[in-house]
Amino acid sequence: MATFANLNRRTAALAVGLAATLGLAPQWAAAQQFPTKPVRIITPFPVGGGPDGVARLVADKLSKTWGQSVVVENRPGGNGFIAIDAFKRGAKDGHDLIVLDNVHLAAYPSLFKKLPYDTAKDFDPLLPLFRTYFFFTVGTNSPYKTVADVVADAKARPGKLNYGSWSVGNPVHLGSELFESMTGTQMEHVVFKETTQLYTSVSTGDINFALGSAATAGPLYRAGKLRLLALAAPQRSPEFPDVPTVAESGGPKDFAVTGWNAIAVPPGLPAAVTDKIKRDIEQALTGPDVTEKFKTFGYESFPTTRAQFDQFVKDEAKRFGDVIRQANVSLD
């Protein structure tokens, strides 16, 4: 009995033969044969988290579509540089892909004077996998009922309020710096080693507030130990319809803090190959299983064209860069 993989290869071979007969471009024929060997998706994220779960779901679907093994290789640590180095030393023909987030692509170029990679030369960001927005979280016994309350207290006691994050330069930290800038306030940034420690400290009142996603702050929120003051997004979340936006809660208009993950390929691939990879990953990101996975982690789909995503990454880099320069933040 013919296997799915064999049928895929036979179909590709027939397509290549037809392309040659019709005199179509060699690039198109090569795209029909891709992939010709196992594919590796390198990720800087650890096993078990939301980004890892999405990557593995996509890998499983791609392996069925392509008739080739598609494996996720977790290379956490070192600010993502370990995974990036593995990708840079890997295959340049599209059989090695990498998952990156907005910190790697948009924030680090401004946070580091010298990086072990060049976003323009080492990656071709192909498409976003998902995005997530962040909530203003406070403890259940916090006196703050709205974002306006936080702003008023911060202005009344300059430098006395504090907020937390799990590192310098992540979206939570930079989003909080942006909040200070937009509200004309001064607060203290407290860095924690782990997200669990961070949100536990918020729940006990040791930290006044922290931005948190449904994935990071969700467990303590569901346990009744955190309150969600507002969502830093353009509109309310359908999963949390009772939580107002920051603007609705008396905060600055148009204040939004997002995290997003993307798939990147080596630069210089034939357009037909990148189009095929993008199209097949987009297809893998559909279906009720993906919807359920996204709901679990508070993610949402983020479809774009190549041109739109290129411009989006540039806009994000400028936005992060402006905040970093104004706050004088550096990781060197």
Side-chain angles (χ1 to χ4, degrees):
M1 181 180 293
T3 65
F4 185 84
N6 287 335
L7 289 173
N8 255 10
R9 283 191 283 270
R10 290 177 188 175
T11 302
L14 288 171
V16 172
L18 180 61
T21 301
L22 297 177
L24 298 178
Q27 278 193 18
W28 185 90
Q32 301 314 302
Q33 291 181 308
F34 180 89
T36 59
K37 59 184 180 181
V39 174
R40 181 173 60 154
I41 299 177
I42 302 169
T43 169
F45 306 106
V47 175
D52 177 67
V54 173
R56 290 181 185 279
L57 188 61
V58 168
D60 181 63
K61 290 190 174 187
L62 288 178
S63 66
K64 296 173 182 176
T65 299
W66 289 343
Q68 291 282 357
S69 172
V70 181
V71 299
V72 174
E73 185 174 298
N74 302 86
R75 295 287 191 97
N79 296 315
F81 300 162
I82 296 172
I84 290 170
D85 182 65
F87 175 75
K88 288 173 61 178
R89 291 185 289 104
K92 307 300 182 187
D93 56 3
H95 289 85
D96 275 348
L97 313 175
I98 188 168
V99 179
L100 299 170
D101 66 13
N102 48 344
V103 173
H104 304 123
L105 289 170
Y108 278 174
S110 292
L111 283 167
F112 288 91
K113 292 179 181 178
K114 187 175 181 180
L115 278 173
Y117 63 88
D118 187 319
T119 55
K121 296 179 180 179
D122 293 325
F123 312 115
D124 182 7
L126 194 57
L127 80 160
L129 293 173
F130 62 82
R131 69 180 168 194
T132 186
Y133 288 99
F134 290 86
F135 296 92
F136 260 83
T137 71
V138 296
T140 52
N141 294 323
S142 170
Y144 307 130
K145 304 301 181 184
T146 65
V147 174
D149 292 340
V150 177
V151 175
D153 195 20
K155 287 186 175 181
R157 299 187 297 143
K160 299 299 183 181
L161 269 68
N162 56 24
Y163 62 84
S165 79
W166 56 85
S167 67
V168 173
N170 63 70
V172 166
H173 171 214
L174 297 181
S176 301
E177 292 279 4
L178 177 62
F179 181 74
E180 288 184 82
S181 175
M182 293 180 74
T183 57
T185 56
Q186 292 181 338
M187 292 176 274
E188 180 187 3
H189 175 215
V190 181
V191 181
F192 290 78
K193 291 183 178 180
E194 298 177 355
T195 57
T196 302
Q197 294 176 343
L198 165 62
Y199 296 109
T200 297
S201 293
V202 175
S203 71
T204 59
D206 293 331
I207 295 294
N208 293 116
F209 75 89
L211 298 174
S213 67
T216 55
L220 284 178
Y221 165 71
R222 289 188 289 273
K225 296 181 178 181
L226 289 179
R227 281 192 289 112
L228 306 181
L229 285 189
L231 179 65
Q235 63 246 345
R236 296 190 184 199
S237 165
E239 304 302 321
F240 299 87
D242 295 332
V243 179
T245 65
V246 167
E248 291 173 331
S249 189
K253 184 181 178 182
D254 300 326
F255 177 73
V257 181
T258 61
W260 47 267
N261 277 23
I263 287 281
V265 299
L269 291 181
V273 173
T274 57
D275 289 347
K276 176 180 173 58
I277 296 172
K278 180 177 186 294
R279 181 176 64 251
D280 290 344
I281 292 178
E282 286 174 336
Q283 181 60 37
L285 289 170
T286 63
D289 52 345
V290 176
T291 300
E292 193 60 34
K293 179 73 72 175
F294 278 18
K295 282 184 179 180
T296 300
F297 294 109
Y299 298 160
E300 67 177 34
S301 297
F302 184 20
T304 66
T305 65
R306 289 296 307 280
Q308 288 170 337
F309 190 49
D310 286 345
Q311 187 59 51
F312 174 80
V313 173
K314 291 176 183 177
D315 292 343
E316 284 282 273
K318 182 182 184 305
R319 186 170 69 91
F320 275 126
D322 290 344
V323 173
I324 290 164
R325 283 187 290 274
Q326 183 170 346
N328 195 29
V329 181
S330 175
L331 285 175
D332 283 306

